[in-house]
Amino acid sequence: MSEQLLIIGCGNLLRGDDAVGPVLVRRLLELGLPPDVGVADAGTSGMDVAFRMRGVEMVILVDAARTGAEAGTIYSVPGSIVEQLPPLTGINLHAFRWDHALAFGRWLLKDEYPRSVQVYLIEGADFTIGAPLSPPVAARMEDLAHHLHHNPWQPYPGYARVFDSSSDHHGDVAA
């Protein structure tokens, strides 16, 4: 059976809580996944994200965030919100992030772009080079990994609503 749901972890393994996406992918491989669910460690390469999404029905993307909220807070953002970027003029491959990849993927893949893209951003506390995941981020990553292991097609529970005032789209925050 081919992958119908792809979970992509983004972030830099060498920068503390920024590693939460790739660490989650590794944890999911340890826990195991249903046969129609795949994982990808996209690290810091946004371009890999765009090409891995081809023909997959649903994508879940996990990365760290730094907004000043409490460490371990999970933001759940529909891909349709973050893929609306201004033109990518002057951007280079080093600066090509996963949100650029979503916009680029929508343009490139057309009918092969996933029907649904969900982004989970986990608020980090420590982005120091060489640091491990901070305890609140490690705990929330573990909880999200177990949720995705048991029920990957269902949204991660426990959100407060967050609305994008510039559109009809909205995301959620899990405290």
Side-chain angles (χ1 to χ4, degrees):
M1 176 178 283
S2 64
E3 292 175 355
Q4 293 302 306
L5 184 140
L6 178 64
I7 301 168
I8 300 172
C10 296
N12 186 334
L13 272 172
L14 303 176
R15 292 191 55 230
D17 290 338
D18 195 36
V20 70
V23 171
L24 178 121
V25 164
R26 292 169 184 190
R27 183 67 178 126
L28 287 172
L29 290 171
E30 292 171 0
L31 294 170
L33 292 166
D36 59 344
V37 177
V39 293
D41 177 353
T44 57
S45 176
M47 193 62 79
D48 290 346
V49 172
F51 289 107
R52 282 298 311 261
M53 296 188 303
R54 180 184 298 260
V56 175
E57 183 176 332
M58 180 178 182
V59 166
I60 295 173
L61 195 145
V62 180
D63 197 2
R66 189 182 334 201
T67 69
E70 183 178 341
T73 299
I74 294 185
Y75 301 90
S76 176
V77 183
S80 57
I81 290 177
V82 290
E83 70 185 33
Q84 305 300 321
L85 294 172
L88 301 177
T89 56
I91 195 165
N92 58 52
L93 284 178
H94 184 70
F96 195 85
R97 305 177 317 236
W98 58 261
D99 50 344
H100 298 126
L102 294 178
F104 176 69
R106 165 87 56 199
W107 172 81
L108 176 71
L109 301 176
K110 298 181 177 37
D111 291 342
E112 293 184 285
Y113 188 77
R115 180 183 55 79
S116 173
V117 176
Q118 186 64 47
V119 178
Y120 291 121
L121 300 173
I122 302 177
E123 183 73 20
D126 184 359
F127 293 86
T128 303
I129 293 174
L133 294 182
S134 64
V137 171
R140 190 55 78 128
M141 182 282 302
E142 187 70 22
D143 190 49
L144 179 59
H146 280 274
H147 170 76
L148 293 172
H149 166 68
H150 293 293
N151 207 354
W153 294 93
Q154 296 301 313
Y156 184 73
Y159 302 115
R161 291 275 183 210
V162 174
F163 294 91
D164 176 4
S165 61
S166 65
S167 73
D168 293 335
H169 304 292
H170 62 274
D172 303 314
V173 174

